[in-house]
Amino acid sequence: MLDAQRVEWRDECASTNTSLREQAEAGAPSGRVLVADRQTAGRGRCGRVWQSSPEGSLTFSVLYKEGEGALSGLSLAVGLALLRALEKLGARALRLKWPNDLLCQKNGEDAKLAGVLIERAGDAIIIGIGLNLKAPDLPGEVTAGLEDCLETPAAKPALLAAIVGELDVMWADFCARGFAPLCADWQAHHVWQGKSVRLMEEGRVLAEGICRGVTDDGALRLATADGERTFWAGDLRLRAGEH
Ligand code: BT5
């Protein structure tokens, strides 16, 4: 279990990322963890909403003080740490989707199980994780819950301890060596490696091509009609007819 001194567990807060960011600005130490059973304004990337419920979700954020190295690739490293923690608990058929999603196979589809939101506050990095325990019912979305890929259910405190333990290991390693040593393992779990994909931004197609994986610093590599290109942001979709 985690050292109780570093964890604050609230019944409710607007967003654990927002609250932990305020704590970081007030001088909270590296390693601090904030969990909320209910988020009233949970956030995804680019102002999107993260849906959660006390019985169906684990939502928390971890604060780390910035290490020496660059942060590129951190969201990928966090996704891999999350995947490794859940695999150690027995979860199966987990996949990663660039740049920040954890998926699992459900009824033959790749369903979103968890998302990662990383934010910076001065010298502090806030890593927010939203993990579904039960699949939320979101119109038009393919979602999964841990109960879809883990036979023996785990209680929230045990899940939190397993994930934060893996994040601590990842953070120390990432500060020392960056994303490059994790690249091969990340790609081995990438859901659409070698597939024909489309990169979107706010409903617009940024690029199309064959997914070649990621660079040593975490950028997406696409083999397009104009040659290989790399990207730092966007939402990946499988191209029609590739399912
Ligand atoms: C993410 O954003 O996937 C990052 C989610 C991070 C949430 C955590 S919870 C703790 C911490 N505090 C916060 O306020 N946030 C972090 P993005 O890639 O932008 O995906 C958001 C999109 O995923 C939404 O627009 C929906 O389409 C979909 N979505 C929302 N809730 C979902 C859920 N519970 N499961 C699966 N998909 C969801």
Side-chain angles (χ1 to χ4, degrees), residues 14-18 39 41-46 48-52 57-61 100-101 112-117 127-132 136 138 141-144 235:
S15 153
T16 55
N17 259 41
T18 307
Q39 287 192 130
R43 296 185 286 113
R45 291 175 301 147
C46 313
R48 292 187 281 233
V49 172
W50 184 256
Q51 304 282 354
S52 61
S57 324
L58 176 64
T59 48
F60 67 97
S61 303
N100 68 325
D101 286 354
K112 183 156 171 170
L113 177 67
V116 175
L117 177 67
I127 297 174
I129 293 183
L131 170 66
N132 299 327
L138 303 180
E141 310 268 345
V142 186
T143 64
D235 291 301

Side-chain angles (χ1 to χ4, degrees), residues 26-207:
S30 187
R32 185 110 187 116
V33 179
L34 177 62
V35 195
D37 280 326
R38 182 189 301 280
Q39 287 192 130
T40 53
R43 296 185 286 113
R45 291 175 301 147
C46 313
R48 292 187 281 233
V49 172
W50 184 256
Q51 304 282 354
S52 61
S53 66
E55 59 291 337
S57 324
L58 176 64
T59 48
F60 67 97
S61 303
V62 186
L63 160 65
Y64 292 114
K65 291 288 168 79
E66 197 173 331
E68 299 285 306
L71 284 179
S72 51
L74 180 61
S75 76
L76 282 65
V78 169
L80 191 58
L82 181 57
L83 179 143
R84 286 174 175 174
L86 297 178
E87 278 190 342
K88 282 181 187 169
L89 292 171
R92 291 290 163 260
L94 301 180
R95 292 286 177 271
L96 296 163
K97 189 179 93 166
W98 187 89
N100 68 325
D101 286 354
L102 181 67
L103 311 178
C104 82
Q105 271 277 315
K106 182 180 165 187
N107 304 327
E109 287 195 277
D110 299 305
K112 183 156 171 170
L113 177 67
V116 175
L117 177 67
I118 297 181
E119 296 176 308
R120 190 194 276 266
D123 68 342
I125 306 300
I126 316 291
I127 297 174
I129 293 183
L131 170 66
N132 299 327
L133 307 180
K134 299 176 193 300
D137 193 10
L138 303 180
E141 310 268 345
V142 186
T143 64
L146 206 49
E147 65 180 9
D148 296 312
C149 52
L150 184 63
E151 274 179 25
T152 317
K156 282 200 211 183
L159 271 177
L160 179 76
I163 297 168
V164 172
E166 205 68 44
L167 285 177
D168 286 348
V169 171
M170 178 281 303
W171 178 251
D173 194 39
F174 186 89
C175 288
R177 305 191 296 156
F179 174 69
L182 303 173
C183 187
D185 197 18
W186 192 92
Q187 289 185 159
H189 289 93
H190 193 205
V191 63
W192 295 328
Q193 188 76 7
K195 297 265 172 72
S196 180
V197 295
R198 183 170 280 160
L199 189 66
M200 310 290 294
E201 191 179 60
E202 292 173 4
R204 206 165 49 89
V205 178
L206 275 184

